[in-house]
C-alpha cells in the first residue's frame, strides 16, 4: 500500500490548506464539491473527489435515454470540467478509518502498478457514495436480471429490447418468439414504472417498421410486491397510473413477487409463469457497501446516522447526505422521521452541506437542513405522466410537460440544459431513432473475426446462455 501525495508545502507561518475528501461523484458528491470550490478562497482548502466514474449521472433522465429521446452523453456531467478546482481520483473507496483520517482507495492504476491500494489522508470527510441495487436471493436473478441504475444499463436495455424484436421477427420457433416479446419489470417505484412506460412506448413505435411484429404481440408485465405503485405521487395518482398502464395492455401485478427466473422463465408468487428473455430488476436500493467498511455510526438500515446539520452523529469532521445518510426530517409531523433518499433532497442537502462545511472551517454558525417535500412527477412515456406537486394532482400531457420542465431546470450546467432542450425539440420535429447498437457491448468482435478468431454469438444475450431447454 502506498500513500497518495499531498501538497502541503506552504510558506512558514501559513496554516496548511484543509484537506477535504469527498467520497462519491453522484448528486451529493458533485454538488457538494461544486459548492465548496465556489465558496472557499484560494489556498483555504484542497478538495479531492474519489469516484468510480468520471461523470455524474442525472438518473431521472435514464428512462428517456433508454427510449432514445436523449443522447446518453447528455445524461451525464463530466466531473473534470465542472470541478476544475478539485482533484479527481477515479477509483473505489474500499475502507475508511476516520480515527486515523485515512481512506483506502483502489484506482485504475493500482492493479497495473502492483503496489496495492493507495491511502488518501484528509482533515474533513464528506461521505456520499450513494446506493447500489438491492437484490434478493432469487434463483436465476444474478444470471438473467438487468439493472436500471446506470446510463450503461439504460442504453444496454434499449439495445436489448430492440434486439428481442429482431429475434422475434426472424425466428420460426413460436416459443422463442413469445419469450423474446415478453418483458418483465420487477419494482413499481419511479425507476421501474418510468423505464417500462418509456420502453413500451418506444417498442410500440418501433413495431411499425417490422412486417411481422405488432404492438399487441408484445407482453409487458410489471410486478410489485406492495398493493400500489408510485407511492410518492399518492394513492389517487398511483391508482390512475395502474389504470393507464392497463389501458395500454400492460399487465400490472400488485401484491406479487418474483420467485424465480431460472432458465429464462419468470415464476411469480401468484403461480404465473412467463418464458422471457428480459427481466428488469428495479426493486429498490441499499446503502453502498463501503459504509460497512468504516468506523462511523450507522442506523438499523445501514445508513449513516446523521444530524440535521448533515454531520455524522457523535463524530467530528465527518459529513454525509443523500442515499447513504439518514438525515432527520425536521419538517415532518412525526418524530424520528428521516428524509427520503431521492434527488429532490440530495441536491438541496448537498448545497446545505457545502455551506455548513465552509462555516465550520471559518468557525461560523451551522444551519439545519429543512426542506418540506413539494411532491413528485413521473413520466409514463411520450406525452403521458402523473404528478402530485404542492397538493395539485395532474395527469396526462400536463403532468408529462411538468416532468420535463422540472428536470430540465434541475439537470446540472447550462451546457446540458441546452443540449437536452435541443434534443427534445428535434425529436418533436423528426421521427424516433430505432437503431440497436448491441455491438457496443462487443466492440472488438469484427476485428477478432478479421484476425482469424470467431464471431461471438449475435445478438449477445444479457448474460451467458444456459443449457438450451424447452423454453428456448
Amino acid at each position: 500500500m502506498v500513500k497518495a501525495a499531498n501538497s502541503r508545502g506552504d510558506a512558514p507561518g501559513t496554516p496548511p490548506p484543509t484537506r477535504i475528501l469527498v467520497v462519491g461523484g453522484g448528486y451529493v458528491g458533485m454538488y457538494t464539491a461544486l459548492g465548496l470550490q465556489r465558496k472557499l478562497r484560494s489556498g483555504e482548502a484542497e478538495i479531492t473527489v474519489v469516484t468510480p466514474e468520471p461523470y455524474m449521472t442525472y438518473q431521472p433522465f435514464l428512462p428517456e435515454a433508454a427510449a432514445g429521446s436523449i443522447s446518453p452523453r447528455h445524461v451525464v456531467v463530466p466531473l473534470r470540467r465542472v470541478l476544475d478546482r478539485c482533484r479527481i481520483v477515479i477509483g473505489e473507496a474500499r475502507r475508511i478509518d476516520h480515527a486515523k483520517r485515512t481512506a483506502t482507495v483502489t484506482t485504475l492504476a493500482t492493479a497495473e502498478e502492483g503496489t496495492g491500494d493507495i491511502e488518501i489522508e484528509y482533515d474533513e470527510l464528506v461521505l456520499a457514495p450513494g446506493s447500489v441495487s438491492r437484490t434478493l436471493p432469487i434463483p436465476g436473478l444474478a444470471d438473467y436480471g438487468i439493472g436500471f441504475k446506470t446510463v450503461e444499463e439504460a442504453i444496454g436495455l434499449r439495445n436489448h429490447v430492440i434486439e428481442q424484436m429482431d429475434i422475434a421477427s426472424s425466428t420460426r420457433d413460436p416459443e422463442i418468439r413469445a419469450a423474446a416479446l415478453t418483458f418483465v419489470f420487477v419494482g413499481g417505484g419511479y425507476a421501474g414504472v418510468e423505464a417500462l412506460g418509456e420502453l413500451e412506448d418506444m417498442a410500440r413505435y418501433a413495431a411499425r417498421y417490422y412486417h411481422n411484429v405488432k404492438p399487441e404481440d408484445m407482453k409487458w408485465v410489471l410486478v410489485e410486491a406492495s398493493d400500489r405503485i408510485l407511492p410518492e405521487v399518492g394513492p389517487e395518482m398511483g391508482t390512475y397510473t395502474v389504470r393507464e398502464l392497463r389501458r395500454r395492455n400492460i399487465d400490472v401485478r400488485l401484491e406479487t413477487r418474483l420467485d424465480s427466473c431460472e432458465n429464462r422463465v419468470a415464476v411469480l408468487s401468484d403461480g404465473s409463469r412467463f418464458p422471457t428473455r428480459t427481466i428488469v430488476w428495479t426493486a429498490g436500493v441499499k446503502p453502498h457497501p463501503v459504509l460497512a467498511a468504516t468506523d462511523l455510526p450507522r442506523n438499523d438500515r445501514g445508513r449513516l446516522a446523521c444530524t440535521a446539520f448533515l454531520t455524522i452523529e457523535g463524530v467530528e469532521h465527518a459529513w454525509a447526505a443523500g442515499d447513504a445518510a439518514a438525515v432527520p426530517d425536521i419538517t415532518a409531523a412525526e418524530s424520528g422521521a428521516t428524509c427520503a433518499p431521492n434527488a429532490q433532497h440530495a441536491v438541496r442537502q448537498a448545497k446545505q452541506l457545502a455551506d455548513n462545511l465552509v462555516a465550520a472551517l471559518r468557525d461560523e454558525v451551522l444551519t439545519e437542513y429543512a426542506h418540506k417535500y413539494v411532491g413528485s412527477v413521473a413520466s409514463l412515456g411520450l406525452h403521458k405522466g402523473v404528478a402530485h406537486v404542492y397538493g395539485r394532482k395532474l395527469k396526462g400531457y400536463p403532468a408529462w410537460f411538468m416532468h420535463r420542465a422540472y428536470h430540465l431546470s434541475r439537470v446540472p450546467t447550462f451546457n446540458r440544459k441546452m443540449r437536452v432542450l435541443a434534443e427534445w425539440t428535434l425529436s418533436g420535429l423528426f421521427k424516433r431513432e430505432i437503431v440497436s447498437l448491441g455491438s457496443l457491448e462487443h466492440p472488438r468482435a469484427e476485428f477478432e473475426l478479421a484476425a482469424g478468431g470467431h464471431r461471438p454469438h449475435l445478438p449477445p444475450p444479457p448474460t451467458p446462455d444456459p443449457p438450451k431447454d424447452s423454453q428456448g
Side-chain angles (χ1 to χ4, degrees), residues 146 156-157 159-164 166-167 264 277-278 436-443 445 455-465:
I146 304 173
L157 182 57
N159 291 334
H160 175 78
V161 168
I162 297 176
E163 285 171 354
Q164 299 315 301
D166 291 336
I167 291 172
R264 289 180 168 168
R277 297 170 63 91
T278 309
S436 166
L437 298 177
S439 59
L440 290 175
E441 299 171 30
H442 299 278
R455 184 189 294 275
H457 172 68
L458 294 176
T463 54
D465 275 318

Side-chain angles (χ1 to χ4, degrees), residues 150-162:
T150 68
V151 67
E152 293 87 356
E153 288 174 328
I155 304 312
L157 182 57
R158 168 187 169 79
N159 291 334
H160 175 78
V161 168
I162 297 176

Side-chain angles (χ1 to χ4, degrees), residues 1-4 92-95 103-107 110-111 113-120:
M1 183 179 296
V2 296
K3 289 191 176 182
E92 288 271 7
R94 300 296 183 185
R95 293 186 303 280
T104 303
V105 177
T106 299
T107 70
T110 49
E113 294 171 344
T115 54
D117 297 341
I118 64 171
E119 266 192 4
I120 298 179

